[in-house]
Amino acid sequence: MITNIEKVCRLTIGKLRRQFLLFFKRDEVETQIATRSGKCHQCANCCRLVFRCPFLTSKNLCLVYHSKARPGACAYFPIDSRDIKDVEISCGLKCGYFFAGEGQERP
Ligand code: SF4
Ligand code: SF4
């Protein structure tokens, strides 16, 4: 059973890790993304990791989705299975994406 402090620490590290990967290892991220399957079902659960994004409306829409203001980390989420696990840890629900060998039964 993960405590709230452990959850916040893990999700914060995940945010920092994604920023690092996108800034310093963009090519590896692109390669990893190419192995991703599934699709986004627009649950916006990844918009509430650690805190609710201020751009998320009450109808779970992104105010900056089609603008340059949308962070790269959003456009590339999930980069790998750790990000998918972060969604599950955050809210207990599954992301619509998955990576090879880990649960093709996902919606
Ligand atoms: S958690 Fe996954 S399915 Fe939900 S909005 Fe984010 S990327 Fe899409
Ligand atoms: S900027 Fe948009 S896509 Fe990114 S976390 Fe905020 S609401 Fe979600």
Side-chain angles (χ1 to χ4, degrees), residues 1-7 89:
M1 180 71 178
I2 188 169
T3 67
N4 281 340
I5 290 177
E6 288 170 336
K7 183 192 289 188
I89 286 173

Side-chain angles (χ1 to χ4, degrees), residues 41-58:
H41 43 64
Q42 301 181 334
C43 61
N45 289 328
C46 56
C47 304
R48 293 186 283 260
L49 300 175
V50 186
F51 58 88
R52 182 185 177 89
C53 176
F55 294 128
L56 189 64
T57 71
S58 59

Side-chain angles (χ1 to χ4, degrees), residues 7-105:
K7 183 192 289 188
V8 168
C9 288
R10 166 157 180 153
L11 298 181
T12 300
I13 289 170
K15 281 183 176 290
L16 296 173
R17 185 177 62 85
R18 286 187 290 279
Q19 293 298 336
F20 174 86
L21 290 173
L22 285 169
F23 198 78
F24 294 107
K25 298 191 173 186
R26 180 66 67 110
D27 289 348
E28 290 181 27
V29 169
E30 301 275 3
T31 301
Q32 177 69 14
I33 291 290
T35 70
R36 196 173 68 184
S37 301
K39 64 178 181 180
C40 179
H41 43 64
Q42 301 181 334
C43 61
N45 289 328
C46 56
C47 304
R48 293 186 283 260
L49 300 175
V50 186
F51 58 88
R52 182 185 177 89
C53 176
F55 294 128
L56 189 64
T57 71
S58 59
K59 293 184 177 178
N60 280 347
L61 298 175
C62 175
L63 281 175
V64 294
Y65 193 88
H66 295 293
S67 83
K68 290 181 179 176
R70 188 182 182 216
C74 303
Y76 281 91
F77 191 95
I79 292 173
D80 56 34
S81 59
R82 284 172 290 187
D83 294 341
I84 291 174
K85 187 68 181 173
D86 279 0
V87 172
E88 293 182 25
I89 286 173
S90 173
C91 65
L93 300 174
K94 294 184 184 302
C95 175
Y97 288 111
F98 59 90
F99 290 89
E102 59 139 36
Q104 274 77 353
E105 76 281 0

